Structures are given as C-alpha cells and as structure tokens.
Amino acid sequence: QVTLRESGPALVKPTQTLTLTCTLSGLSLSTSGMSVSWLRQPPGKALEWLALMDWDDDKYYSTSLKTRLIISKDTSRNQVVLTVTNMDPVDTATYFCARIPGYSSSRKYWYFDLWGRGTLVTVSS
Amino acid sequence: QSVLTQPPSVSGAPGQRVTISCTGSSSNIGAAFDVHWYQHLPGTAPKLLMHGNNIRPSGVPDRFSGSRSGTSASLAITGLQAEDEADYYCQSYDSSLSAVVFGGGSKLTVL
C-alpha cells in the first residue's frame, strides 16, 4: 500500500523550531521523478504550499517563508523532513506532505495525487 | 483571503446535482493555468478528485466532472450521495505570485 505519513510534535512554543517528518511507504525517494511537498492549512483558512524536495536533491521553497524553512531527506529511511524555525502562533496549522505525479520542476504543472492525513501543530506558550 | 474564491458551503439532497465554483483572476485561472480539485474529510488524507481541469483519476466516479471558463472553474457532482459530504478545494497556479494557490474550500452538505 502506498502511503505518506506525517509525524512531529503536536505543540511547540513560540520562537521554537518545528521539525516534521514525512515517512513514505510503498514508494521510494530514490525513484526518478519522485518528489515530496509539504503544505499546511491553518484552521479555517486555505491550504498553503511550503516546500518541495525531489529525488535529485533539488529543493524549492515558498517565497514568503523560505527564510524559515529547511527541507531535507533521508533516503535510507525513506523520509522527508521539514524544519520551520522561529515558530509563531500564526503557524498553527495542520501540516501535510504530498506527492506530485509526473513531477516537473515548473510549479505551474504541480498538483498533488497522494497525501498524508496531516498532523496538527499548535503554537502556544 | 484566498487567491481562489470558493463558496464556504453548498448543499443538496441525495440524487441532486450540485456545483462548486472556484473564482480566480487573470494571473491564475484566467491565464489558462490548469485547475485541480480535492476532496477532504477532516482527519483523513485529502483525495485528488480532478486534475487538468476535467481529468478524473482512476477510481473517481464519473458523477464528478470539472470545467474551466474565463477566470472561473467549477466542480459538478451529479447523483449526490451521502458519502460525498466533505470539504472540496480547488487549486491552480498564479503567475504573479509564482506559486501554487488554493481556494478556501467549500463544505458540501448532503441534506
């Protein structure tokens, strides 16, 4: 079965760094054309794309958040990790990882055919 | 607010047809960038419902259809079923933002 699963802390304090892990099952990060994105959805708001890492170690970031994001992968564990620095209450959201089918480096072709269930992260002191 | 605008809620009785609109602008849908749709039941993984405006992935019933015209797109659901009750999101690309953009979501209630 092909799945993505997000994991990480449910609660972080303001100014702390958030680290989230996306674990792939039935898929390999080493496969040519494979990519994993991170997205988030604050309560009652729209989904927002955050970052992407592809099989070739190329990385792409949201323009508005790129100074706070780091995406990396551990191919041996089939995991993609997102780090968000200097967390703020406005970063409270459900964070998802997702795959783009037939991945192209051009964002205008991106859509997401496989998603994880998401993990809710609350930022509060 | 969202770059793409959706009605917060839509509803219909079983068996009826409903449409969910997604309104953008000249820098996204109006620029002929593709629109994609997702179905999401909170607590579960979002599901790709439609891509490339009107292409159904394998396994999506043909009760679901998509269209795009001008600066708007629509998702139509015919023969409404109780299991269709979910949140629906549209997605496209915005050339002014150079970003993937989403609608705010529409909650479909099956009466």
Side-chain angles (χ1 to χ4, degrees), chain A residues 41 46-47 110-112 115-116, chain B residues 2 36 38 45-46 51 89 91:
Chain A
Q41 184 174 31
L47 283 155
W110 291 358
Y111 64 95
F112 309 94
W115 296 67
Chain B
S2 310
H36 320 289
Y38 304 90
H51 66 92
Y89 297 89
Q91 178 233 311

Side-chain angles (χ1 to χ4, degrees), chain A:
Chain A
Q1 189 179 6
V2 175
T3 62
L4 304 176
R5 179 173 53 87
E6 304 89 348
S7 58
L11 179 67
V12 297
K13 290 180 168 42
T15 76
Q16 286 188 335
T17 294
L18 170 68
T19 299
L20 296 171
T21 300
C22 177
T23 302
L24 285 63
S25 298
L27 297 166
S28 173
L29 277 170
S30 303
T31 301
S32 178
M34 181 63 190
S35 72
V36 173
S37 280
W38 282 96
L39 305 95
R40 69 180 181 180
Q41 184 174 31
K45 296 189 176 182
L47 283 155
E48 176 185 23
W49 175 81
L50 301 175
L52 177 148
M53 181 146 202
D54 71 19
W55 87 102
D56 205 24
D57 286 341
D58 291 322
K59 304 172 187 180
Y60 302 88
Y61 294 102
S62 161
T63 303
S64 60
L65 290 167
K66 61 182 179 182
T67 60
R68 299 175 50 211
L69 301 176
I70 301 173
I71 193 169
S72 61
K73 67 181 171 76
D74 184 333
T75 304
S76 64
R77 295 188 176 191
N78 227 16
Q79 293 178 332
V80 175
V81 177
L82 179 72
T83 299
V84 188
T85 60
N86 194 24
M87 291 289 284
D88 182 271
V90 300
D91 296 312
T92 293
T94 298
Y95 287 75
F96 298 93
C97 58
R99 179 186 72 173
I100 295 174
Y103 165 69
S104 159
S105 61
S106 176
R107 302 184 191 204
K108 63 183 178 182
Y109 298 116
W110 291 358
Y111 64 95
F112 309 94
D113 74 331
L114 183 65
W115 296 67
R117 293 187 173 192
T119 185
L120 176 61
V121 178
T122 301
V123 185
S124 175
S125 55

Side-chain angles (χ1 to χ4, degrees), chain B residues 35-82:
Chain B
V35 178
H36 320 289
W37 292 89
Y38 304 90
Q39 179 190 59
H40 186 214
L41 278 164
T44 69
K47 175 185 177 181
L48 177 66
L49 208 57
M50 199 77 54
H51 66 92
N53 307 309
N54 56 13
I55 302 171
R56 285 188 310 275
S58 173
V60 174
D62 59 6
R63 301 186 296 106
F64 294 87
S65 63
S67 63
R68 181 188 72 188
S69 178
T71 58
S72 294
S74 290
L75 175 72
I77 310 171
T78 59
L80 206 56
Q81 298 180 4

